[in-house]
Amino acid sequence: MGIKKISIESIKNGSKSNKMWDQDTAQGALVPIASVNLNQNVTLNFGNIPQTYQDLMIIINGHYNNSGVLVMDDFNNGAPTCSFTSLIGTGSAASSERLTSNGGALPVSTAASPMIANVNSFIIHILNYTNSNTFKTVISRKASDNNGSGTTSLQVGLIQTTSPLSYFKFSTQNGANFFTSGVATLYGIKAGA
Amino acid sequence: MTMKWIASAIPSTGSTMAEFLNIPQIYDHLELRYFIRGSDSGSVSYTNIALNGQYYGPTNYSQHTLAGDGVSAFNEGYINIQSNSGLYSPGATSTANVYAVGITQILDYKNTNKFKTIKNMHGYDANGSGYVMLNSGLWRSTAAVSSLHMINMTFVANCRLDLYGIISNQLVTGA
């Protein structure tokens, strides 16, 4: 990082060079809330989620030891009914998958689009997560590519709770399956000045 | 990269349009994040996105969609249409409390030397019905994007749209 000279006048009138690094340009509307460094993780938890953002975004880039699924569960330490509709590409065909009335867990990698024993990347968005009048809709993208195998998917999931989300976790639901390395980060996206 | 909030739109119940006007020309890209549901008859409401107030007029939009309905994947394409269409959301008879979400990006929105591409990631699940879709739209205009409209759907309560600008920060090397 380089340090640029800033004048008294520019501080007073608020102007600055577009090459100037500062707290304002560094943070913006996308704010990291918490990170989990993955090391033999079967689960990873995000709790005490601030209720001050408009949306949440979770990015997971993890090396997995096996082929399997990953679910979001324990929403607010409860088990609301979940479901999803997904679009999957295998490299040779496109397909769609659906799960209905699943008790307490929302898969974000699925039987038709599982994680692979290699690097798996997820970007998961939960919009309007503090709204107390609506169910929660989750839209996510997953990439699991292993040079000749693997899948990519776009999925939309439903969590049937009207409670604002303050806690959830991710689980492999199988003690023999875990992330050997990588990182998972929860971001908040602010609306408003 | 820095993401900056520009404005929010909370359509009133029964309104048929959400709009962002006077979009600042100081960002590199735009991102719209929305949470919507319609009261149009049937289980699905269809909504469209239009730029610079050009809707129900010039037919200078086209689109491609790759989608899944839980049973099979399908695709759609339209040429010479009046807005970027094909975003399926819950309608009047869909499961209560279910909303569609979407993230729309318009890259290089203020460039006056090329047409604009509208990129959507969109969907909803209603526990047994719903759609998920990747959608791209072309707006055949070189004008800088200064307004954005979501049209053609009757909004219900609790809908909202948030518009962000994305800045590609220059890396300062200290030179």
Side-chain angles (χ1 to χ4, degrees):
Chain A
M1 184 188 80
I3 303 297
K4 291 271 186 183
K5 180 182 178 183
I6 186 166
S7 67
I8 295 293
E9 286 71 26
S10 67
I11 293 172
K12 285 179 178 175
N13 63 28
S15 66
K16 66 189 176 199
S17 163
N18 63 2
K19 294 184 178 180
M20 180 65 71
W21 185 97
D22 62 13
Q23 188 62 35
D24 182 47
T25 53
Q27 184 159 288
L30 180 63
V31 180
I33 297 172
S35 285
V36 178
N37 289 315
L38 303 175
N39 181 14
Q40 313 297 104
N41 290 72
V42 174
T43 63
L44 49 132
N45 310 328
F46 291 106
N48 298 317
I49 297 169
Q51 303 294 295
T52 53
Y53 300 100
Q54 185 55 46
D55 303 331
L56 297 176
M57 179 173 75
I58 306 105
I59 295 181
I60 304 172
N61 191 42
H63 198 290
Y64 202 56
N65 75 322
N66 211 335
S67 177
V69 303
L70 182 70
V71 304
M72 296 179 73
D73 59 5
D74 278 2
F75 299 100
N76 294 345
N77 294 304
T81 300
C82 297
S83 54
F84 73 76
T85 301
S86 69
L87 175 65
I88 298 159
T90 64
S92 58
S95 63
S96 186
E97 184 183 14
R98 168 164 290 148
L99 179 69
T100 61
S101 300
N102 196 48
L106 175 64
V108 290
S109 71
T110 67
S113 184
M115 288 196 289
I116 56 170
N118 205 322
V119 175
N120 303 268
S121 295
F122 296 83
I123 301 180
I124 300 162
H125 303 267
I126 310 173
L127 282 77
N128 220 3
Y129 71 104
T130 62
N131 192 302
S132 58
N133 297 306
T134 64
F135 291 162
K136 306 303 176 287
T137 302
V138 179
I139 193 164
S140 60
R141 289 181 59 195
K142 182 196 74 90
S144 302
D145 191 278
N146 204 16
N147 191 27
S149 63
T151 57
T152 185
S153 63
L154 173 66
Q155 178 178 304
V156 63
L158 178 68
I159 308 164
Q160 291 193 29
T161 178
T162 56
S163 298
L165 293 181
S166 59
Y167 175 88
F168 53 79
K169 81 177 201 301
F170 290 86
S171 170
T172 66
Q173 294 192 310
N174 183 338
N177 296 341
F178 48 84
F179 287 105
T180 57
S181 62
V183 66
T185 304
L186 173 67
Y187 296 86
I189 297 175
K190 291 192 294 188
Chain B
M1 183 198 89
T2 303
M3 187 174 182
K4 293 282 190 180
W5 173 77
I6 297 174
S8 298
I10 302 176
S12 56
T13 302
S15 64
T16 56
M17 178 186 292
E19 62 184 7
F20 294 92
L21 305 176
N22 301 314
I23 296 172
Q25 303 294 302
I26 57 175
Y27 304 105
D28 295 309
H29 315 297
L30 296 177
E31 179 168 307
L32 174 70
R33 305 172 66 89
Y34 56 85
F35 186 89
I36 59 172
R37 177 186 174 111
S39 60
D40 304 286
S41 62
S43 60
V44 179
S45 291
Y46 303 92
T47 192
N48 300 6
I49 289 175
L51 303 177
N52 285 17
Q54 287 198 355
Y55 47 88
Y56 308 140
T59 54
N60 55 350
Y61 294 86
S62 54
Q63 72 168 70
H64 290 95
T65 299
L66 174 63
D69 61 4
V71 177
S72 58
F74 62 96
N75 64 78
E76 296 176 335
Y78 299 99
I79 62 171
N80 298 326
I81 52 179
Q82 295 177 328
S83 57
N84 179 212
S85 62
L87 302 177
Y88 299 4
S89 300
T93 62
S94 188
T95 306
N97 297 329
V98 173
Y99 286 67
V101 300
I103 299 171
T104 300
Q105 293 176 327
I106 305 170
L107 306 186
D108 212 6
Y109 71 104
K110 61 181 187 294
N111 191 310
T112 56
N113 296 305
K114 58 188 179 186
F115 295 162
K116 307 302 179 295
T117 298
I118 305 166
K119 184 161 68 83
N120 294 308
M121 182 172 74
H122 173 97
Y124 75 95
D125 182 276
N127 193 28
S129 62
Y131 297 89
V132 61
M133 49 185 54
L134 288 169
N135 167 285
S136 67
L138 175 67
W139 181 47
R140 295 192 305 277
S141 170
T142 58
V145 176
S146 59
S147 70
L148 186 154
H149 292 77
M150 182 170 279
I151 58 172
N152 202 33
M153 187 176 76
T154 307
F155 292 96
V156 300
N158 295 302
C159 294
R160 69 172 292 142
L161 303 86
D162 298 288
L163 183 66
Y164 297 87
I166 294 174
I167 303 167
S168 303
N169 299 102
Q170 298 179 48
L171 182 64
V172 178
T173 61

